[in-house]
Amino acid sequence: MNIACRSLIALTAALTALQCAGSKSSPILGQQEHQWDVVQRVLQQNYDNLQTLSASGKVIIETPQASYTANSTIYLIKPDSVYIKIEAAFGIDVGVLFADRRGFVLYTPLQNTVYTGPADSFNLDRFLSFRLSYDKLLNVLSGLEVAEQITSGTIRRQENQLLLLNSNGEQKVLHVVDPYFGVISQTQAFNKNRELIFLAQYSRFSTVNGVRIPKTIRIQRPDQKESITFFYNTVSINQEIDPRKFTINIPEKAIKIAL
């Protein structure tokens, strides 16, 4: 783990501790809540309240193939429009991505290559050296997960948290819910051998324009030794975003690859 990553994680822990020490006099969910549909409805309503997101900060990538820290600028317009710009030191662009349900455009200046294709051929690995589907990317950027509507599942209390446990095929999924904010603060997925294969952690929650949103989002695949962390310094919610911000300037001599 590099020094920048350790520093950001330490800062996250400090800020989370300060946040937890603050006043939480009006929890969104009761800690004795035992109805799955009630919890799911609270999570869904918060997600539905989010219409646009503008954020900037750091992104940290750690994989066996690449590890680096860069600046990130992110725009999200629901239901499906995403723009991400990643800059390394001295303002050097690592890559620029625009995607929606119809397709995506990904430009990597260092290779002077532009990739285009339908949404179902999207692979974040070409952009950030981290494998992530387009649908999952939408959830990751906002940091707002919702519990699936299921016919069976269990809810139990652990200290000041609610634990939602259910099965998704052969996978076992655990959602950790912060009842005070009414949000998922952690999701764990286990394979049939009970090995942890996916871990999502959300912290530094604040309420912006009526939406409870995290400013630190960390996704890990322990079996692949992969992680991606978005550490937002600024976040704007439900403010109009100029459509021109979604523009990608591609040089005429760029190599074009259709997927």
Side-chain angles (χ1 to χ4, degrees):
M1 182 181 295
N2 58 39
I3 295 175
C5 183
R6 289 198 297 267
S7 298
L8 280 176
I9 291 174
L11 179 58
T12 298
L15 290 172
T16 301
L18 288 173
Q19 182 185 69
C20 292
S23 175
K24 292 184 177 180
S25 58
S26 301
I28 304 297
L29 287 162
Q31 291 186 11
Q32 303 301 327
E33 183 58 61
H34 63 280
Q35 298 184 69
W36 187 286
D37 61 333
V38 171
V39 177
Q40 200 278 337
R41 187 163 57 247
V42 168
L43 297 171
Q44 185 69 51
Q45 183 178 31
N46 187 52
Y47 177 78
D48 290 343
N49 286 341
L50 174 69
Q51 297 303 315
T52 71
L53 178 147
S54 301
S56 63
K58 298 289 185 181
V59 60
I60 303 169
I61 306 294
E62 293 182 288
T63 74
Q65 293 75 36
S67 296
Y68 62 89
T69 300
N71 297 316
S72 63
T73 300
I74 293 162
Y75 301 114
L76 170 65
I77 299 180
K78 288 175 66 177
D80 57 18
S81 295
V82 172
Y83 173 94
I84 306 175
K85 183 176 182 180
I86 305 298
E87 295 178 309
F90 309 111
I92 299 174
D93 288 352
V94 174
V96 185
L97 166 72
F98 170 76
D100 60 20
R101 290 292 178 192
R102 293 169 296 181
F104 70 90
V105 178
L106 168 59
Y107 176 57
T108 57
L110 294 179
Q111 290 78 36
N112 196 29
T113 301
V114 57
Y115 299 90
T116 61
D120 59 5
S121 68
F122 174 78
N123 186 348
L124 193 67
D125 187 37
R126 295 188 180 90
F127 184 31
L128 294 178
S129 302
F130 187 91
R131 290 183 292 277
L132 205 64
S133 70
Y134 175 63
D135 286 331
K136 193 62 182 176
L137 175 64
L138 293 174
N139 289 117
V140 166
L141 293 178
S142 67
L144 299 180
E145 287 198 55
V146 295
E148 298 178 23
Q149 295 186 7
I150 61 173
T151 55
S152 64
T154 60
I155 298 180
R156 61 185 176 89
R157 177 184 174 186
Q158 184 180 79
E159 297 179 347
N160 294 324
Q161 300 172 324
L162 295 175
L163 304 183
L164 281 62
L165 300 98
N166 75 300
S167 298
N168 184 1
E170 293 185 339
Q171 288 188 5
K172 299 292 184 182
V173 180
L174 167 66
H175 296 301
V176 179
V177 177
D178 182 333
Y180 291 97
F181 284 103
V183 294
I184 290 176
S185 60
Q186 186 176 135
T187 292
Q188 302 175 15
F190 301 85
N191 62 18
K192 61 181 180 181
N193 297 321
R194 297 185 178 181
E195 297 169 328
L196 181 65
I197 58 174
F198 179 83
L199 174 62
Q201 297 168 295
Y202 311 103
S203 59
R204 295 172 63 218
F205 279 92
S206 62
T207 301
V208 182
N209 262 1
V211 180
R212 301 178 296 279
I213 196 93
K215 293 183 179 178
T216 299
I217 301 162
R218 182 170 172 79
I219 307 297
Q220 295 175 271
R221 287 200 182 89
D223 56 337
Q224 302 294 326
K225 298 181 180 179
E226 294 180 344
S227 72
I228 181 171
T229 303
F230 287 98
F231 191 94
Y232 294 152
N233 295 321
T234 64
V235 174
S236 178
I237 299 295
N238 294 342
Q239 299 294 322
E240 185 176 355
I241 300 176
D242 188 339
R244 290 175 294 183
K245 292 185 179 294
F246 287 81
T247 302
I248 299 178
N249 296 317
I250 300 173
E252 291 183 7
K253 294 183 178 180
I255 301 169
K256 299 176 177 61
I257 300 177
L259 302 174

